[in-house]
Amino acid sequence: MDMMAGKFAANVTPLEEGMSLSDHPIRLEARDVCVHYGAKQALYDVSIDIPDRAVTAFIGPSGCGKSTFLRCINRMNDTIEGARVTGRIALDGEDVYDRSLDVVELRARVGMVFQKPNPFPKSIFENVAYGPKIHGMVRNKAEAEEVVVSSLKRAGLFEEVKDRLHEPGTGLSGGQQQRLCIARAIATRPEVLLMDEPCSALDPIATAIIEELIDELRENFTIVIVTHSMQQAARVSQKTAFFHLGKLIEEGDTANIFTNPAKKQTQDYIMGRIG
Amino acid sequence: MTTAKNEHIVSSYEEELTLLAQMISEMGGMVEAAVTDATQALLKLDHPLAQATIARDKMIDEMQRRIDEKAVSMIARRQPMAADLRMIITSIHVANDLERVGDMAKQVSRRSLQIEGLSLAPKFYNGVKHMTTLILHQLQAALDAYAERNSAAAVAVCNSDDEIDALHTSLFRELLTYMMEDPRNITQCTHLLFCAKSLERVGDHATNIAEAAYYLDTGKHLSSAVEDLHRTQVKV
């Protein structure tokens, strides 16, 4: 039933609490990444390694560049006029800004979930099947069904919607819509899942369900999450990076960042003091 | 790492942190006074002072309960991070150690009530007096290191604990000698032996407080080597 099992059954064990990040393989590697929006520089020389099968959280005040950097990873900034990205971001050693690279294919490999749930105005089934169909990953209805069911199961939504797969996705609750968007994002079997404040529009229970889901998904995906909630970063991630005024100030094991950060700016921010 | 000097954006949180630090200082003062009075009551065989010290222990217990409640409430409502989190967690530890020190003061006071006479025999007085001076100094130094978040001072406290252990061992031998010399000394010396053990335990709790101060300041735990220092046993 689960057609993804083979692909994801790799030898790498997910990063557990207490396990050293340095022992873990690197999935994404960013070096000296700068972003300009016209004349304004939004990101300054960001270099960071994103570990495989772990959750990496980006935290920082509004306008610090965390979302800008996240959007560099699947080249979402390409769609913004005047945006210029320099430096290198490599996914499995391959430069994502290489001219020969197909951006559509990249976005299938690097899925994204946004702040507000944004299901297509289509059925639940079509929302999930859409990606695999346009990427030619499914050849017939049976295969599409298999992908839809396994993706909804992975997103923890299947049991709640199995009797109404052909009803509109927009009819679901906010939390369910967000899980539908997660199911849609993982349906194309991405290697990396980017999440831009995925819980900020959700109530605490729906947030807890998504956080539980993130924890399960990290067994198979490399997850990068931008969050305004430090508590959320502390709860869901194994690695945390703190951004301030377009610069990466500090990155490291989540437990260390939240108990004993090395930089005063990080400490001031996470303790709610003005940096 | 130095402590952040900036104030929290939420001023009521800042006030709560300050209040918690004040509660620890206040409890530290109460416990220091209890140890001072208990040892004074022992040296002078001042029974009314001993009884007053025993009665005051309830206030120390009550203070520990208040600190615990405050810390738990702050964790639940404020979700503290980094140095704030360490401050709140260590306040629970320090209050627990202080409460135990209060119990030790109570035990010494109770023992002193069992010793008859107008004052401690001069031959016993000096050894006990020396130990009480050292213990009080150790306790004060540990509480100062905690209040000032001074990791260097905390290490110094931990390193000087072996002096207390050595003194305890020497006092133990001395009291044994007096008992062997004259069996009439046995009752008084036995009480003093228990008092010395209680005082030595105060030194251990002072070391724990110093370790909490080190963690509070640096975010790191003192190495097990230093921790082992205060686990020395009496060698006869």
Side-chain angles (χ1 to χ4, degrees), chain B residues 96-167:
Chain B
N96 184 50
D97 278 306
L98 286 174
E99 190 273 332
R100 294 294 300 140
V101 173
D103 286 349
M104 295 299 136
K106 188 165 77 173
Q107 282 174 20
V108 170
S109 300
R110 279 193 178 143
R111 288 276 165 195
S112 73
L113 290 175
Q114 304 298 314
I115 303 172
E116 289 169 359
L118 287 174
S119 81
L120 214 54
K123 59 185 172 184
F124 304 145
Y125 188 93
N126 285 342
V128 177
K129 168 90 177 144
H130 189 187
M131 189 156 178
T132 58
T133 309
L134 210 63
I135 289 289
L136 271 170
H137 177 262
Q138 183 86 339
L139 184 60
Q140 281 159 0
L143 285 166
D144 286 349
Y146 183 79
E148 293 160 11
R149 303 183 179 203
N150 184 337
S151 49
V155 172
V157 172
C158 292
N159 285 335
S160 60
D161 189 58
D162 52 350
E163 202 180 331
I164 290 175
D165 290 333
L167 194 61

Side-chain angles (χ1 to χ4, degrees), chain A residues 129-156:
Chain A
Y130 183 78
K133 273 184 189 168
I134 62 162
H135 285 103
M137 292 170 171
V138 290
R139 284 165 298 181
N140 51 47
K141 201 176 170 202
E143 281 185 10
E145 226 173 82
E146 218 173 314
V147 175
V148 169
V149 170
S150 68
S151 300
L152 286 171
K153 277 186 175 168
R154 275 174 187 274

Side-chain angles (χ1 to χ4, degrees), chain B residues 57-74:
Chain B
D57 188 54
K58 281 200 175 107
M59 289 161 65
I60 294 173
D61 293 352
E62 172 62 17
M63 194 68 183
Q64 186 210 6
R65 194 187 59 75
R66 282 177 51 208
I67 289 171
D68 268 10
E69 278 180 0
K70 186 81 204 152
V72 167
S73 143
M74 287 177 75

Side-chain angles (χ1 to χ4, degrees), chain B residues 5 13-15 21-22 36 49 56 61 63 86 93 98 103 109-110 123 138 157 160 181 205 208 213 220-221:
Chain B
K5 299 219 170 32
Y13 182 21
E14 191 68 39
E15 283 161 16
Q22 280 168 354
T36 307
L49 184 60
R56 285 202 330 256
D61 293 352
M63 194 68 183
R86 301 202 300 269
H93 289 201
L98 286 174
D103 286 349
S109 300
R110 279 193 178 143
K123 59 185 172 184
Q138 183 86 339
V157 172
S160 60
E181 272 175 11
H205 289 295
N208 288 349
K220 298 186 182 87
H221 292 282

Side-chain angles (χ1 to χ4, degrees), chain A residues 229-235 256-264 266-275, chain B residues 1-10 13-14 17 78-86 215 218-220:
Chain A
S229 161
M230 282 175 282
Q231 281 72 33
Q232 181 170 62
R235 286 193 298 264
N256 277 345
I257 294 280
F258 287 107
T259 56
N260 193 22
K263 302 274 171 65
K264 188 171 182 308
T266 317
Q267 166 146 304
D268 282 348
Y269 178 71
I270 63 168
M271 297 203 317
R273 284 155 171 80
I274 300 152
Chain B
M1 180 168 155
T2 53
T3 310
K5 299 219 170 32
N6 295 336
E7 293 217 333
H8 198 279
I9 297 165
V10 181
Y13 182 21
E14 191 68 39
L17 286 166
R78 307 288 189 184
Q79 286 99 44
M81 293 283 189
D84 292 340
L85 176 62
R86 301 202 300 269
Y215 176 68
T218 63
K220 298 186 182 87

